[in-house]
């Protein structure tokens, strides 16, 4: 159902109308809060999309990170072991928006999404879509593969105490409670499979985040999607790149649980995340591929046989210390470029080569700081 802001053109009912002059300088916090929510939802969606694709791999099933017009599932089918089951603790504004975006952008079906909140009666609209909403944190954690924490910081200690004994080793906790650091989360949950994106806000920035649209609609805007890239500084909010490392190591852990040989895992990640190519690259022989030494040191890589799986990685350590993948990200500029392009194709999917070309150049402009006056020259050079 489309939501309409009835107060949009009624100036006396706008939030800003009641603000005193000495309070006006703080209005930027409203835009920053919205920007942080958009960023958090976009990155959570990408993470779920990647895990969902890896879990569905095998047999004749064809999966991709880029949505396709043919991709369609029964929205009311009961989830199987290969489906990604997502739980959200907290049914406030963030939890609600995250649920809607996961349904729309991450291809998570309503039966594969549960929400635990103290007031499930306020989520009637989500329940009508087929999402189970209840108040039972332990049941949610025991059921889900990924659990998003969308509660208030003051509620977190009690929630962690409640769910810590129910957390399986393979369950990934994705915390959107920004006030609680990783080591504190580890202490509260007695768990190491935790992701916590860290955002930094600039003092001076151009507000691109809008005000009245929901998050799902905002992620159809080219400029906003550009700003959600892990490598972008647009909009004044940047994401610590350690998040991207944790996403990939979490993906490795997901494959380890499924006992996928490490060679198959590397091929799957390359196909999923580096599957966008320049039209001039022919057979793609010169395009980057993900290799074993991107994640482990050479000494350990030499001990692996073709049937071995990756070891289990501590995601807390990955986010707090240097890893082999840290070095890889610093060196592989082309990897960054292809990944940026994938982000844009993912959120702004539209068929046709012209759309791909445009998105590819948006990535080039962002990464290499190419001046707009030189845009045509680079376009002719790459796509000649």
């Amino acid at each position: 159902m489309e939501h309409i802001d009835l107060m949009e053109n009624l100036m006396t009912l706008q939030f800003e109308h009641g603000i005193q002059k000495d309070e006006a300088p703080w209005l930027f916090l409203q835009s920053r809060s919205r920007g942080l929510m958009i960023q958090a939802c976009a990155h959570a969606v990408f993470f779920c999309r990647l895990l969902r694709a890896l879990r569905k791999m095998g047999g004749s099933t064809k999966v991709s990170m880029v949505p396709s017009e043919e991709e369609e599932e029964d929205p009311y089918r009961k989830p199987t072991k290969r489906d990604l089951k997502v739980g959200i603790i907290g049914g406030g504004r963030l939890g609600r928006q995250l649920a809607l975006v996961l349904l729309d952008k991450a291809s998570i079906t309503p039966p594969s999404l549960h929400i635990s909140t103290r007031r499930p009666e306020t989520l009637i609209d989500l329940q009508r879509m087929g999402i189970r909403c209840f108040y039972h944190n332990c049941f949610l954690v025991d059921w889900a593969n990924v659990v998003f924490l969308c509660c208030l910081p003051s509620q977190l200690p009690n929630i962690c105490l409640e769910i810590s004994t129910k957390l399986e080793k393979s369950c990934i906790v994705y915390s959107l409670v920004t006030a609680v650091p990783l080591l504190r989360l580890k202490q509260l949950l007695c768990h190491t499979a935790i992701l916590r994106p860290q955002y930094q806000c600039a003092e001076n920035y151009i507000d691109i985040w809008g005000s009245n649209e929901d998050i799902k609609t905002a992620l159809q805007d080219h400029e906003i999607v550009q700003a959600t890239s892990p490598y972008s500084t647009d909009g004044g909010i940047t994401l610590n790149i350690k998040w991207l490392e944790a996403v990939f190591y979490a993906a490795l852990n997901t494959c380890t649980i499924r006992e996928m040989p490490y060679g198959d895992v590397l091929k799957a990640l390359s196909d999923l995340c580096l599957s966008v190519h320049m039209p001039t690259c022919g057979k793609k022989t010169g395009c980057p591929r993900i290799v074993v030494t991107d994640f482990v040191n050479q000494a350990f890589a030499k001990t692996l046989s073709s049937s071995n799986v990756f070891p289990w990685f501590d995601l807390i350590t990955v986010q707090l210390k240097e890893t082999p993948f840290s070095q890889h990200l610093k060196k592989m500029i082309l990897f960054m470029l292809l990944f940026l392009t994938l982000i844009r194709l993912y959120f702004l999917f539209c068929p046709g080569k012209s759309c791909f070309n445009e998105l590819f150049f948006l990535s080039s402009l962002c990464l290499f700081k190419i001046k707009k006056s030189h845009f045509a020259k680079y376009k002719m050079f790459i796509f000649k």
Side-chain angles (χ1 to χ4, degrees):
M1 179 183 296
E2 183 179 356
H3 295 277
I4 301 174
D5 188 352
L6 298 176
M7 299 188 297
E8 183 175 0
N9 297 316
L10 301 175
M11 298 307 297
T12 57
L13 296 179
Q14 297 300 311
F15 176 80
E16 294 84 353
H17 185 75
I19 297 295
Q20 303 298 321
K21 287 185 178 180
D22 59 333
E23 297 171 335
W26 299 103
L27 279 174
F28 77 96
L29 293 175
Q30 189 180 27
S31 167
R32 177 176 291 181
S33 174
R34 176 173 167 77
L36 286 168
M37 185 180 293
I38 292 174
Q39 292 260 20
C41 287
H43 299 145
V45 163
F46 184 86
F47 174 66
C48 286
R49 181 81 186 191
L50 177 59
L51 292 195
R52 174 185 174 274
L54 288 171
R55 291 177 67 90
K56 283 188 170 293
M57 278 192 161
S60 59
T61 305
K62 185 179 180 181
V63 293
S64 171
M65 285 292 290
V66 180
S68 66
E69 294 175 328
E70 293 78 20
E71 183 182 64
E72 189 174 334
E73 287 190 19
D74 180 1
Y76 301 106
R77 176 180 58 83
K78 185 178 180 180
T80 66
K81 288 185 177 180
R82 292 177 64 181
D83 289 308
L84 180 67
K85 293 180 290 186
V86 179
I88 299 174
I89 295 180
R93 186 162 177 250
L94 177 57
R96 177 191 291 271
Q97 291 289 342
L98 178 60
L100 291 172
V101 175
L102 288 174
L103 290 178
D104 184 63
K105 297 292 185 181
S107 299
I108 303 297
T109 59
S112 298
L113 180 58
H114 290 179
I115 301 176
S116 177
T117 175
R118 292 182 299 175
R119 298 186 61 194
E121 68 275 7
T122 63
L123 303 178
I124 297 298
D125 55 332
L126 297 182
Q127 295 182 51
R128 288 172 179 166
M129 296 179 185
I131 300 173
R132 286 194 64 188
C133 302
F134 47 81
Y135 183 36
H136 200 316
N137 295 332
C138 289
F139 174 82
L140 180 90
V141 167
D142 190 50
W143 170 84
N145 305 121
V146 176
V147 174
F148 287 95
L149 298 178
C150 300
C151 58
L152 296 173
S154 60
Q155 299 169 340
L156 191 63
N158 288 335
I159 290 174
C160 290
L161 180 65
E162 181 183 4
I163 68 175
S164 60
T165 58
K166 295 293 184 179
L167 278 172
E168 296 287 340
K169 181 181 179 181
S170 59
C171 181
I172 301 172
V173 177
Y174 194 115
S175 177
L176 294 175
V177 186
T178 55
V180 183
L182 270 171
L183 290 177
R184 177 60 175 159
L185 285 169
K186 179 181 179 181
Q187 181 185 42
L188 290 170
L189 290 169
C190 301
H191 195 62
T192 61
I194 303 172
L195 267 77
R196 178 182 175 270
Q198 297 185 51
Y199 299 99
Q200 292 183 332
C201 301
E203 291 185 8
N204 300 312
Y205 66 96
I206 299 175
D207 180 13
I208 64 171
W209 303 110
S211 57
N212 297 322
E213 296 175 344
D214 59 25
I215 306 301
K216 185 174 70 171
T217 304
L219 287 174
Q220 297 172 5
D221 182 278
H222 284 250
E223 189 176 20
I224 287 178
V225 170
Q226 175 87 359
T228 62
S229 164
Y231 296 101
S232 175
T233 58
D234 295 348
I237 301 174
T238 55
L239 172 65
N240 190 323
I241 205 61
K242 296 296 286 183
W243 170 84
L244 184 57
E245 293 180 45
V247 165
F248 274 86
Y249 279 101
L252 297 185
N253 286 347
T254 296
C255 295
T256 297
I257 288 292
R258 296 187 60 204
E259 299 183 345
M260 286 179 62
Y262 80 92
D264 293 347
V265 176
L266 296 172
K267 182 180 184 303
L269 287 176
S270 295
D271 291 342
L272 287 171
C273 298
L274 302 180
S275 56
V276 179
H277 300 272
M278 293 171 57
T280 56
C281 70
K283 296 182 180 180
K284 306 172 186 176
T285 54
C287 291
R289 304 289 290 177
I290 296 174
V291 297
V292 65
T293 51
D294 292 337
F295 300 110
V296 297
N297 59 46
Q298 291 186 358
F300 183 82
K302 291 179 180 179
T303 67
L304 294 173
S305 65
S306 58
S307 60
N308 285 149
V309 300
F310 274 108
W312 186 264
F313 294 100
D314 183 327
L315 299 185
I316 301 290
T317 303
V318 167
Q319 292 167 89
L320 296 179
K321 297 182 179 180
E322 285 287 300
T323 67
F325 200 51
S326 305
Q327 302 301 319
H328 176 73
L329 289 177
K330 292 175 182 177
K331 296 176 183 177
M332 290 297 290
I333 299 298
L334 188 54
F335 174 87
M336 297 181 192
L337 181 56
L338 291 174
F339 187 79
L340 283 168
T341 309
L342 174 65
I343 292 282
R344 285 150 185 76
L345 282 173
Y346 174 63
F347 282 111
L348 300 172
F349 171 71
C350 52
K353 181 178 177 180
S354 61
C355 175
F356 169 82
N357 289 357
E358 182 68 16
L359 293 173
F360 188 93
F361 281 103
L362 285 174
S363 302
S364 301
L365 288 169
C366 174
L367 183 62
F368 295 114
K369 311 292 185 184
I370 298 173
K371 294 181 180 179
K372 290 185 178 180
S373 59
H374 296 162
F375 182 88
K377 181 176 71 173
Y378 279 91
K379 185 172 183 178
M380 290 178 62
F381 174 76
I382 298 179
F383 291 102
K384 61 183 179 180

